Amino acid sequence: MVERYALEPIKSLWSLEAQYKRWLKVELAVVWAYERLGIAPKGTYQQAIKNAYIDVEKILDIEKEVDHDVIAFIKVATSKMGKEASFFHYGLTSSDVVDTANSLALIEATNIIISEMKNLLKLLFEKALQYKKLPSIGRTHGVHAEPTSFGLKFLSWYSELKRDLKRLINAREEISVGKLSGAVGNYAHISPLVEELALSKLSLKPTPVATQVIPRDLHSNLINIFGLIASAIERMAIEIRHLQKTEVLEVQEPFKKTQRGSSAMPHKKNPILCERLTGLSRIIRSYVHTAFENIPLWHERDISHSSVERFMFPDVTTTLHYMIVKAQHLIKNLVVFEDRVKRNIDTTKGLVYSQRVMLKLIEKGLTREEAYKNVQKLALKCWETHSSFKNEIAKSFSHLLSKNEIEELFSPDYYLKNIDAIYKRFEDE
Amino acid sequence: MVERYALEPIKSLWSLEAQYKRWLKVELAVVWAYERLGIAPKGTYQQAIKNAYIDVEKILDIEKEVDHDVIAFIKVATSKMGKEASFFHYGLTSSDVVDTANSLALIEATNIIISEMKNLLKLLFEKALQYKKLPSIGRTHGVHAEPTSFGLKFLSWYSELKRDLKRLINAREEISVGKLSGAVGNYAHISPLVEELALSKLSLKPTPVATQVIPRDLHSNLINIFGLIASAIERMAIEIRHLQKTEVLEVQEPFKKTQRGSSAMPHKKNPILCERLTGLSRIIRSYVHTAFENIPLWHERDISHSSVERFMFPDVTTTLHYMIVKAQHLIKNLVVFEDRVKRNIDTTKGLVYSQRVMLKLIEKGLTREEAYKNVQKLALKCWETHSSFKNEIAKSFSHLLSKNEIEELFSPDYYLKNIDAIYKRFEDE
Amino acid sequence: MVERYALEPIKSLWSLEAQYKRWLKVELAVVWAYERLGIAPKGTYQQAIKNAYIDVEKILDIEKEVDHDVIAFIKVATSKMGKEASFFHYGLTSSDVVDTANSLALIEATNIIISEMKNLLKLLFEKALQYKKLPSIGRTHGVHAEPTSFGLKFLSWYSELKRDLKRLINAREEISVGKLSGAVGNYAHISPLVEELALSKLSLKPTPVATQVIPRDLHSNLINIFGLIASAIERMAIEIRHLQKTEVLEVQEPFKKTQRGSSAMPHKKNPILCERLTGLSRIIRSYVHTAFENIPLWHERDISHSSVERFMFPDVTTTLHYMIVKAQHLIKNLVVFEDRVKRNIDTTKGLVYSQRVMLKLIEKGLTREEAYKNVQKLALKCWETHSSFKNEIAKSFSHLLSKNEIEELFSPDYYLKNIDAIYKRFEDE
Amino acid sequence: MVERYALEPIKSLWSLEAQYKRWLKVELAVVWAYERLGIAPKGTYQQAIKNAYIDVEKILDIEKEVDHDVIAFIKVATSKMGKEASFFHYGLTSSDVVDTANSLALIEATNIIISEMKNLLKLLFEKALQYKKLPSIGRTHGVHAEPTSFGLKFLSWYSELKRDLKRLINAREEISVGKLSGAVGNYAHISPLVEELALSKLSLKPTPVATQVIPRDLHSNLINIFGLIASAIERMAIEIRHLQKTEVLEVQEPFKKTQRGSSAMPHKKNPILCERLTGLSRIIRSYVHTAFENIPLWHERDISHSSVERFMFPDVTTTLHYMIVKAQHLIKNLVVFEDRVKRNIDTTKGLVYSQRVMLKLIEKGLTREEAYKNVQKLALKCWETHSSFKNEIAKSFSHLLSKNEIEELFSPDYYLKNIDAIYKRFEDE
């Protein structure tokens, strides 16, 4: 976790104190279940709540001695308890607590992320609507192709992130499981009933089959989706970086009044936020592989995944959260130079309309062959002499095309005629 | 694609001929739509089907000249057509064809994979049932922990792969989209109606928002799931490799009569299939990152993903298919040495029952402190002198524990008492 | 290996026939050593050479039966031998042959790659010299910064690839080892002398400590370097894609006469080769992780690396070779629009010179504070009104700066004054 | 950086304070160079040292305002300076400072890592010597193969890490470069002489060709080597985890007196350190890909690498350092159960000697065919009936083999006869 890329409320989720509180929450849920099932005497749960004690420093001290974080935690947590202590952690193995608490943390993190994604989606959709009718040049291979709607860029990001949101909601559902089945997952010293009851108090379901731990495909799957979200934001960031290039300058990412790009060059407003988002996406994607490697643990579990997860869970959740929050700022305050967007369409002096001109000439009676040859010849000439394709067409085909027709042929609006049909797919949003 | 790891029917999916046939299928669906919408004259579709022509070598020859595979394909495909040729590829851009056909190929591959996964799941469930009551030692950190059901291993794999199957079915649904919206995805020269109709003929839906191409998060998501499946099989393979180690020898992967492990050492039956599956999983997982990198294409598309996909799509689908088919063979014919499985529980001469003994002594009236101290002392002694823990317990606690009680305490069956509850979660299968 | 991205002579290296020939070469070198050491009778080697027999189909047939490729190979290779057969594969284990032959193949592949890298380096250096004095705009964050030498781009690529070449030569030296030490690498049935002698005939050295196999860090290290080379080429490709963007258009990748970008749009010369190189780099980089995973094999070896390497070795070597060969074509025939390169410097109408102007004004007696404020104010005005910064400066500071001085201040040549010092670092090339 | 996996002295390297101090060191070296070259007046350097001021909190406060960490640093650093401030950061761009300081940090981290690697190598070599003559069973595919020296395991790790050390020393040499050449690396406002002099004071060399930044292949190369070292340690850790498995139990990783594996099961000494090392290796390897992605920056630089490096540099260096330090503890205090090591050789009741027996019988006059058939038949029988192969051979070949000969045939010492030759390769260590 890098301080500057970790924002609240997700950052605090990963403090040691928050972790121990989650562990306590799990342990207490089990005590509660024992009481409910009549195994522990009435009042045990209330006593346990009352006397449970957490002191981060003390726990760390004991851990240094016993080399086992859960044992250290239990020692301190029960240190002020009376008889109720005998039902604390009863029948459990350490991983029951750690893994169930992991689920709680990941769910909470995912909830925050989902909520911010929804904010981002809203902003994207607004921008998509705002720029729906703004014609712009579509680029393939980085080269001008044909005009299109500027709003479509936002709608495309919106559509991708909506898919990611759906995937994330599924993944959250999957990870909403706990595990209270003992050392090798066979309920040798704890009843499945206790598990079911305790987990229900935590809004979790039992893992259908666990070993000592919850199977790591669940976590890997979640992190895959995080990787997809990061990549979606990276796609946005790279597009904006392209559009902010000095020669293109269709947009500019928000720039604070007091911010310093360069001392004397006012054009030096660099898309540093987008570049940062690009880099952070690499961090999240790098954990995808790591999460996969945690799946094939040995036998009923080896603990190699644990050190990995101490990095991974905080890093991916805080970083992704940061990315989404910053992407909101980016989209909300993005400066769009509409004039320039329109003007850039004409960078090639009309050549981007050549296909449309050709089709019109066929309509007017030329054979496809004739139309193609003529258009291509003129286009090539214009390209080489940097002259206006529109003028050349007007000159060469004045007998076939009226002034009005030529104006219309070289208008970007034609290319937006079916945009409504695309937007209609999202009309219920 | 490595020949030896590519099996039919998935292998042929990726021949050039199959690819051109898919392209043709897409192009013809569009012709069909034009005719249905009254844009092309009646009979156009029939003529196009009749005269369409594919010759792999010719296409490759022309590609060498024009450096463009779709243009080369169209030239040959329409070379024997009459007027109907004018509706062939009409209004389309190359990616409309390539990407829609990609979806067809990936769906077909996924269908085959799903079908084989179901076979594998069936075998796993059978084995889970077969070994449900076979006690075995559970191992954590590679060290004996407590007894458990041998069948649970299979049930655990079954449960993980079932999750993966569900994810894969979702991913297939997502990838079941085509895209026929022209150069920059704005339907400038083709109507959304044509797209909808043509795609419906191919059992596909339109991509909600496309650029020149179908967004690559769809493909990345699919390959993530492939990675999860590969990792699940890797987990099985690694477990079997562990269980086949000479000192453990609980299982043996199937070994052909004529197969040669070593000339003179009959015990040298190596788990080479499991090792191969372990390696192949690395291949599939390596493509996960690559697929992510294909997501943030520039502007309305750059074509950097294309060379990647020429490796990736054939490699991941054939390799995963191979893995699943071989895993079936592995599971179906896995030799389980049941005696040895049972015998291994006693490797530690009873120490794995120590926790249970301790709990019993508490039941019999010892304080937790007394029970713990006594048991630990004896256990330590046995561990160091390699003597039987059962004997020591019998000697030391004859006043508290009857012979029968001791037998029962040192029986693995106790640890299987809740296994039914786990299996019940799958009783509808 | 994807056919279209595999060129000779590297492609044939990976045919089965070539592989068996390498195996034979290793086996015969051992026979030769036995004869040299007086263990095999005189003439054995000559007989073995004469009677050795390879038939790919036969070997594959037998492999199907015995599930072991080396045993199948030996059966066929010795099938026409007499007594000399008893020294064929004598004392060896399969991996002795496979791994030593792997080294031969990787060395041969690396030799070819090194040779092509040298060609590429030569071309890059030529271009660096050719464009040394061509002023161009330097861009940071995609935004215009200050003028620089266009040739420096090439020199920068040259310098990076030179480092890579040095690394590759080191890696080749490291991989130039064989291993003929038997089943667990302890020379139980073969003498270290035989190994040394046989390997020297193959221009290899013994692996200092082997298990059954040559340690995989050697292969991983080689593939890391391949990844670095691929990334260097990717950097070149991405730069050229940027420079070929319609709004920038400083360069154009070579375009065949018969090549088709778009039917009617002559500007649609897409940098498809650079995009392909970008994609292929992803493929090579993806294997880096895979190669790492091959290092921690179990005990004296597990064979999980083997299936991986059947993909990896052919894929990375052919693809990298292809990339380098194509990069040569790219660099050699790159079209540089020099006028445009120069013209683009003025996109901001002189703002890129603002820092230099400020320094000059300080020289002329203004305080840093005054100079900065004045320049910044004018620069901001020009940026907002799209007016010429040079004109504004000329107007505002006519009392301090002569016409000549102003011309000089707004000349890019100033920024090239220390370029020679950089080039001098490479004067021995 | 995860607190628990970061040890001093490397941990403090990455504090903000240490970073600002490095930045200051670079800035002051430049001031020094200006004075040495007569550009700054005498005494400037002394004044700058005296008045330079660093206050972490103040810098962070200003950064929040200007969104630029280097500008904030300069403001504070020069806040108490007089005229000497005009030579502070003179002619430099931010990256000159950041990147040169990065090199200093990476070199310092690498120095520490190298020093700890040497300690680890020493320990490994000692163990290699200690167990040179201890026979043990070699395992391939996890299955017993033939006896070998137990010490060879250590020597094999030693040999691999020695290669890694050499690679790391090379990489350190490569990264020992700074860069003081201004905004686009062309020395527009600073002389190459200043760079050379200032860098020499920092024991660095100039980067031959830089853009705004030092090329990222240098960093990527370094991190590749870190990945190799991590993988080497992972290989050791996995071997030890295998050898500590309950059924094998040849070794035990050090276990603190107060450490708690399990309450009542003394055999539950889990190889948690080795498992942790396995996991941490995944973390380091995951950054390898990320570092590659930092290479192809746009034009004269984009800043996407920066956020990545804020994670990467601290994470990889602290984690690798932790791994090496812990590996020393592991190797130094590794418990080897020599009896068990020897005893495990006989797990198969002599079958591992079958190849040797066969060769002896040929020596005694049997044809290879006869020898093979007889040995194989007996071996198979023993394998199936769990009887002693030695006894069977003694019974069946009493006419050919004396008692002594049989004893010798079934002795592991034979397999160590060439071990000396391997160790001799390291005799100068």
Side-chain angles (χ1 to χ4, degrees), chain B residues 48-167:
Chain B
I49 286 182
K50 200 179 130 202
N51 295 328
Y53 175 65
I54 286 179
D55 180 319
V56 174
E57 290 313 313
K58 276 199 189 157
I59 298 174
L60 289 176
D61 277 356
I62 295 177
E63 188 187 343
K64 262 174 218 151
E65 192 191 313
V66 296
D67 256 6
H68 199 304
D69 52 2
V70 177
I71 291 174
F73 158 77
I74 295 170
K75 280 209 168 184
V76 174
T78 59
S79 62
K80 311 205 164 187
M81 288 189 185
K83 281 183 304 179
E84 68 276 15
S86 62
F87 291 97
F88 193 93
H89 200 69
Y90 183 76
L92 298 182
T93 200
S94 304
S95 291
D96 289 337
V97 182
V98 172
D99 260 23
T100 303
N102 269 345
S103 289
L104 293 178
L106 289 170
I107 291 166
E108 203 167 336
T110 303
N111 285 341
I112 297 167
I113 286 169
I114 285 175
S115 155
E116 295 297 353
M117 277 185 81
K118 287 180 180 168
N119 294 336
L120 177 57
L121 280 166
K122 202 163 162 294
L123 290 165
L124 285 170
F125 196 66
E126 281 168 19
K127 292 286 174 174
L129 288 175
Q130 183 178 350
Y131 298 112
K132 181 178 169 182
K133 295 295 182 192
L134 176 61
S136 67
I137 189 64
R139 296 168 181 93
T140 56
H141 312 268
V143 176
H144 284 199
E146 289 193 323
T148 190
S149 152
F150 195 76
L152 217 48
K153 289 180 194 290
F154 297 92
L155 197 66
S156 160
W157 302 334
Y158 173 80
S159 175
E160 178 173 347
L161 274 169
K162 250 192 62 181
R163 277 192 294 275
D164 287 332
L165 178 60
K166 196 176 154 197
R167 291 165 185 150

Side-chain angles (χ1 to χ4, degrees), chain B residues 287-332:
Chain B
Y287 276 113
V288 165
H289 201 111
T290 317
F292 272 113
E293 292 182 288
N294 279 351
I295 293 178
L297 300 177
W298 291 11
H299 295 302
E300 277 64 39
R301 93 81 74 91
D302 72 69
I303 202 171
S304 62
H305 63 90
S306 169
S307 50
V308 169
E309 291 169 356
R310 289 185 200 268
F311 286 85
M312 184 166 68
F313 291 156
D315 273 7
V316 293
T317 52
T318 53
T319 305
L320 185 62
H321 175 251
Y322 177 91
M323 287 180 74
I324 298 171
V325 169
K326 290 295 170 185
Q328 292 169 25
H329 170 66
L330 172 69
I331 295 302
K332 189 174 178 185

Side-chain angles (χ1 to χ4, degrees), chain B residues 10 23 26 32 40-41 75 99 113 223 227 292 326 368 416:
Chain B
I10 219 160
W23 289 4
V26 173
W32 175 82
K75 280 209 168 184
D99 260 23
I113 286 169
I223 284 164
F292 272 113
K326 290 295 170 185
R368 172 170 285 268
L416 306 188

Side-chain angles (χ1 to χ4, degrees), chain C residues 353-372:
Chain C
Y353 299 105
S354 60
Q355 190 173 355
R356 176 141 160 64
V357 169
M358 192 177 71
L359 295 172
K360 189 70 179 182
L361 290 174
I362 294 169
E363 227 181 285
K364 291 283 181 177
L366 267 65
T367 65
R368 171 171 285 268
E369 196 59 19
E370 286 169 333
Y372 174 75

Side-chain angles (χ1 to χ4, degrees), chain A residues 124-390:
Chain A
L124 285 169
F125 197 65
E126 281 167 20
K127 293 285 174 175
L129 288 175
Q130 182 177 350
Y131 297 112
K132 181 178 171 183
K133 294 296 182 190
L134 176 61
S136 67
I137 188 66
R139 295 168 182 91
T140 56
H141 312 270
V143 175
H144 284 200
E146 288 193 324
T148 188
S149 151
F150 194 76
L152 217 48
K153 288 180 194 291
F154 297 91
L155 196 68
S156 159
W157 301 336
Y158 172 81
S159 175
E160 178 173 346
L161 274 169
K162 252 191 61 180
R163 277 192 294 274
D164 286 332
L165 178 61
K166 197 177 155 197
R167 291 165 185 150
L168 185 54
I169 288 171
N170 280 342
R172 181 182 57 180
E173 177 68 26
E174 288 196 26
I175 198 72
S176 294
V177 292
K179 182 257 162 190
L180 301 167
S181 52
V184 293
N186 61 0
Y187 303 92
H189 310 300
I190 192 169
S191 154
L193 289 177
V194 175
E195 181 191 54
E196 207 182 330
L197 206 57
L199 291 183
S200 77
K201 190 168 175 61
L202 302 166
S203 305
L204 300 175
K205 289 183 193 159
T207 306
V209 192
T211 56
Q212 186 169 71
V213 291
I214 294 177
R216 257 47 198 174
D217 66 294
L218 291 165
H219 309 77
S220 177
N221 181 52
L222 180 65
I223 285 164
N224 285 347
I225 313 296
F226 287 170
L228 288 172
I229 300 169
S231 300
I233 293 177
E234 187 182 359
R235 186 160 85 94
M236 290 166 37
I238 285 182
E239 180 70 15
I240 291 170
R241 287 167 61 195
H242 275 299
L243 296 181
Q244 189 165 348
K245 294 191 71 179
T246 304
E247 289 90 350
V248 178
L249 208 57
E250 301 191 353
V251 307
Q252 193 179 274
E253 73 169 41
F255 202 78
K256 275 196 302 193
K257 271 271 154 86
T258 55
Q259 192 175 332
R260 295 281 287 273
S262 157
S263 337
M265 293 188 272
H267 73 285
K268 211 79 187 87
K269 296 192 175 159
N270 302 318
I272 55 167
L273 173 52
C274 286
E275 292 171 303
R276 197 184 307 146
L277 294 174
T278 307
L280 293 176
S281 172
R282 286 177 204 147
I283 291 296
I284 292 177
R285 287 194 272 105
S286 81
Y287 277 113
V288 165
H289 201 111
T290 317
F292 273 113
E293 291 182 289
N294 279 351
I295 294 177
L297 300 177
W298 290 12
H299 295 303
E300 276 65 40
R301 90 81 72 93
D302 71 70
I303 202 172
S304 63
H305 63 91
S306 169
S307 50
V308 169
E309 290 169 358
R310 289 186 201 268
F311 286 86
M312 183 167 68
F313 291 157
D315 274 7
V316 294
T317 53
T318 53
T319 305
L320 185 62
H321 174 251
Y322 177 92
M323 287 180 74
I324 299 171
V325 168
K326 290 296 170 186
Q328 291 169 26
H329 170 66
L330 172 69
I331 295 301
K332 189 173 177 185
N333 301 295
L334 187 71
V335 182
V336 176
F337 300 111
E338 301 199 21
D339 274 4
R340 186 63 183 264
V341 171
K342 282 185 217 158
R343 208 149 26 91
N344 279 349
I345 300 174
D346 289 324
T347 307
T348 59
K349 300 191 179 167
L351 290 175
V352 294
Y353 298 105
S354 60
Q355 190 172 354
R356 175 140 162 62
V357 169
M358 192 177 72
L359 294 172
K360 189 71 179 181
L361 290 174
I362 295 170
E363 226 181 287
K364 290 284 180 177
L366 266 67
T367 66
R368 171 171 285 268
E369 195 60 19
E370 286 169 332
Y372 174 77
K373 268 196 185 164
N374 275 294
V375 166
Q376 203 196 31
K377 203 176 111 194
L378 288 178
L380 195 61
K381 181 184 160 197
C382 292
W383 179 245
E384 281 165 358
T385 61
H386 303 287
S387 48
S388 159
F389 185 57
K390 187 170 157 188

